[in-house]
Amino acid sequence: MSEPLVKMRGITKRFGGVTALIDVDLEAYAGEVLAIVGDNGAGKSTLIKILTGVYQPTEGEMFLDGLKVAFSSHADAIDMGIDAVYQTLALADHLDPAANMFLGNELTRTVLGMTFLDNKRMRSETERVLMERLGVRLKSLDAPTESLSGGQRQAVAIARAVYHEGLRVLVMDEPTAALGPQETARTLKLIQTLKAQGLAVILISHSLDDVFEVSDRIHVQRRGQRVGVVETASSNTQEVLGLIVGAEEAA
Ligand SMILES: Nc1ncnc2c1ncn2[C@@H]1O[C@H](COP(=O)(O)OP(=O)(O)O)[C@@H](O)[C@H]1O
Ligand SMILES: [Mg+2]
């Protein structure tokens, strides 16, 4: 395999007396889905919050395309092409999908020296990105986002991330946790679509079914440490569960 797009080395994170991560390495390649699994408290969210600039590591280094990077905020990570979609989606539910897509980055036009929101272009861009990048057509572009299904709301959140031309790494923390089987299947298809576009997709999931269906490699966290990385195609649920729980407990 070529050089990883993302490399984390020796990441340790302490919150006061709590050590959330101990000397963790992570690699993610362009055009792959890397799953991160592990019990509650294993450090999954903390690890990806460091990758996305939300937290700063106590120790350790990160590399993007082989170049050392350090983020002092989530905005820094976004600038470098790393973004995340959380289970909670962080959508403004009372606003329509286009308003959500451009929240804080509204498109404007200037007429006779005055600046107006360009609602028409924001809507057409929203429609275009959803269709071209995700193959999704929304039930309605007029209704508040809360009236859409869980899967469609998620597509809006993903579209907002991929609208950034420089996006190269997309982290998804438990994207199917709140979804039914049909919407889960659609979300897994979306993940495949993003992978095919060359993104590195990092998927945190409690569902080993989802993980085995969609991932290329599985990074297993246990008690703040990376305890294994397996190739999905040559592993199985048994092996991964064993790593999650730990050999002594599984024996
Ligand atoms: N902001 C925080 N302050 C203090 N402790 C935290 C904080 N965030 C996470 N932790 C602790 O770090 C450990 C790892 O948590 P987390 O990364 O959320 O695990 P996971 O996502 O795998 O469930 C846990 O012991 C958790 O209590
Ligand atoms: Mg978590």
Side-chain angles (χ1 to χ4, degrees):
M1 242 188 209
S2 49
E3 176 77 0
L5 178 56
V6 173
K7 211 159 66 179
M8 299 174 87
R9 284 292 173 265
I11 301 289
T12 292
K13 177 64 177 176
R14 284 187 279 273
F15 296 102
V18 178
T19 303
L21 295 172
I22 309 160
D23 197 21
V24 175
D25 292 349
L26 176 146
E27 301 84 32
Y29 295 84
E32 80 159 351
V33 178
L34 175 73
I36 303 179
V37 301
D39 264 343
N40 283 331
K44 306 180 296 293
S45 294
T46 303
L47 186 60
I48 62 107
K49 280 180 181 162
I50 289 172
L51 176 63
T52 57
V54 177
Y55 294 150
Q56 283 66 54
T58 309
E59 285 168 42
E61 299 182 313
M62 298 196 283
F63 302 86
L64 187 64
D65 248 348
L67 295 176
K68 194 169 163 186
V69 290
F71 307 134
S72 51
S73 67
H74 182 43
D76 271 2
I78 292 176
D79 282 346
M80 297 296 287
I82 302 177
D83 205 350
V85 176
Y86 294 98
Q87 187 190 333
T88 47
L89 296 182
L91 295 171
D93 277 329
H94 58 289
L95 298 179
D96 68 30
N100 269 290
M101 268 279 291
F102 291 97
L103 208 58
N105 286 304
E106 284 79 5
L107 301 180
T108 56
R109 65 198 165 93
T110 305
V111 181
L112 301 175
M114 292 197 292
T115 303
F116 299 89
L117 288 179
D118 195 343
N119 290 314
K120 205 171 141 196
R121 212 170 109 235
M122 287 193 276
R123 294 183 84 193
S124 61
E125 280 293 278
T126 300
E127 212 169 7
R128 181 184 68 76
V129 172
L130 279 162
M131 181 48 71
E132 286 179 7
R133 294 296 300 275
L134 307 180
V136 169
R137 190 182 298 286
L138 292 187
K139 225 175 55 198
S140 166
L141 275 167
D142 299 308
T145 308
E146 66 197 346
S147 69
L148 298 173
S149 68
Q152 293 224 313
R153 296 173 69 253
Q154 187 165 65
V156 173
I158 296 171
R160 183 168 62 187
V162 303
Y163 188 68
H164 181 226
E165 292 284 343
L167 184 78
R168 293 198 283 172
V169 181
L170 184 66
V171 175
M172 303 179 82
D173 196 350
E174 297 286 353
T176 63
L179 303 181
Q182 230 179 23
E183 303 228 290
T184 294
R186 284 201 197 102
T187 297
L188 297 181
K189 223 176 97 196
L190 274 186
I191 291 173
Q192 298 284 25
T193 303
L194 296 169
K195 165 188 159 168
Q197 290 167 10
L199 291 186
V201 181
I202 299 179
L203 168 70
I204 296 182
S205 180
H206 272 104
S207 163
L208 286 188
D209 285 343
D210 290 2
V211 163
F212 272 92
E213 185 170 331
V214 85
S215 75
D216 297 289
R217 295 183 308 121
I218 307 172
H219 165 133
V220 185
Q221 279 287 130
R222 178 164 175 266
R223 296 187 182 169
Q225 291 182 292
R226 179 171 80 170
V227 291
V229 185
V230 301
E231 301 273 338
T232 309
S234 52
S235 183
N236 56 58
T237 314
Q238 197 85 11
E239 181 186 25
V240 171
L241 275 175
L243 288 167
I244 290 173
V245 175
E248 62 271 37
E249 270 118 305

